[in-house]
Amino acid sequence: MTIDEQRIGAELRRMADEAGPVDALAHARRARAGALRRRRATWSLAGLAVAASLVTAVMVTLPPGGAGPDTAAQVARLPENTPEQLRVVRECMPNGGPVHNMDGNRRLPEQGSAEDFRVLAEYRDKKGMTALVGSLAGFVLCTPTTQKDMAERAVFTYWGFKPPGDLTGFQGDLQVDAYTSHTHSYATGPQRIQHDDVYRVVVGRVTSGVRRVEIDWADGRRTDARLAGGFFIARVPGKVKPTGILDSPPVTVTAYDPQDQVLGRQKDVAFGPLGRGSGY
């Protein structure tokens, strides 16, 4: 089938001329979708190879002197993992990538591999740690434990809650991506007595003007999230009702500037499971 390389090339050159950093993969997807709508035809594998070769001409420009205070809202680029962070990612995804929310042995290749994910932000306390671990498409949560068979599943959520995932496309200075729970399971003593510590966890993204994110947990507790490179995470121990259900009232998340003025606030954020927009 004939491929309109001239039209594809024009699309990609137009993208390269746009101001600001460019997410080459996202632009390539949009260019290909536009060509498909106009031609109303399906490209062959050879045509896809031609388009991929043209994408290499699109340059991503970073500010002089390195990345600086770039945030998720400015640059679709993820940090490299340290050796310790890489270990956390691999332990979080023993099957090599995200898995089905009801079947930890069923890996979902369309959601990426462990090598695509970076530790974006960590919340540590005296009991341990929960990490926000993300790719350009979406994220999972990781709570390391010595009991590997009791570890939480790596359930994937798309940035923006729909595929292919939109890392940078949120409005305002604050985006809450998840308010959910995570469990740290471990055993103590010679009898290996089982313990399950449940945490309420909030994660999201902010712009470069944000210097502090506060979570009002609606039960008298307020905590500051951990901020790193435009991402944030916070957790508090959960309270389980006599019925065995986690007490999880809606929370309020507030972003502040360096002068402690409010830049953004999301009220009554509802509790929910991970996996939103994944189709599973």
Side-chain angles (χ1 to χ4, degrees), residues 70 86 89 99 114 117 168 176 178 276:
D70 291 337
L86 180 59
V89 172
V99 297
F117 287 79
T168 63
V176 178
R276 182 176 172 187

Side-chain angles (χ1 to χ4, degrees), residues 28-231:
R29 283 192 292 267
R30 287 196 290 271
R32 190 176 64 183
L36 282 170
R37 286 193 297 271
R38 285 187 292 269
R39 296 185 62 83
R40 298 181 180 274
T42 301
W43 287 359
S44 65
L45 290 176
L48 290 175
V50 171
S53 68
L54 289 170
V55 169
T56 60
V58 180
M59 302 298 293
V60 177
T61 303
L62 297 177
D70 291 337
T71 66
Q74 294 172 328
V75 178
R77 189 180 114 175
L78 301 179
E80 291 300 319
N81 285 320
T82 66
E84 173 64 18
Q85 289 172 333
L86 180 59
R87 182 186 64 79
V88 169
V89 172
R90 287 174 173 168
E91 287 187 358
C92 179
M93 304 182 193
N95 289 333
V99 297
H100 194 275
N101 57 1
M102 298 297 291
D103 183 357
N105 294 317
R106 180 184 167 191
R107 184 185 160 193
L108 303 173
E110 66 271 25
Q111 295 175 355
S113 65
E115 289 73 21
D116 299 321
F117 287 79
R118 307 288 187 269
V119 175
L120 303 176
E122 306 172 11
Y123 194 97
R124 295 180 180 271
D125 53 35
K126 63 182 181 180
K127 286 295 191 73
M129 179 263 284
T130 296
L132 171 63
V133 176
S135 68
L136 291 176
F139 66 92
V140 302
L141 293 181
C142 295
T143 301
T145 177
T146 55
Q147 289 189 289
K148 309 304 180 187
D149 58 333
M150 299 293 289
E152 288 270 14
R153 297 185 180 96
V155 177
F156 180 91
T157 299
Y158 283 105
W159 302 117
F161 312 120
K162 61 182 180 180
D166 189 353
L167 178 62
T168 63
F170 63 93
Q171 300 298 314
D173 291 285
L174 170 69
Q175 169 65 43
V176 178
D177 290 298
Y179 164 36
T180 190
S181 66
H182 238 229
T183 302
H184 177 205
S185 298
Y186 58 99
T188 60
Q191 287 77 35
R192 307 299 294 165
I193 298 174
Q194 178 72 31
H195 300 272
D196 296 303
D197 294 341
V198 183
Y199 293 89
R200 295 160 66 194
V201 182
V202 173
V203 301
R205 294 165 282 166
V206 293
T207 58
S208 60
V210 174
R211 289 295 179 269
R212 185 169 72 89
V213 175
E214 181 186 69
I215 316 298
D216 181 346
W217 299 97
D219 60 4
R221 290 179 289 181
R222 292 190 179 192
T223 59
D224 281 355
R226 303 293 192 265
L227 278 170
F231 302 92

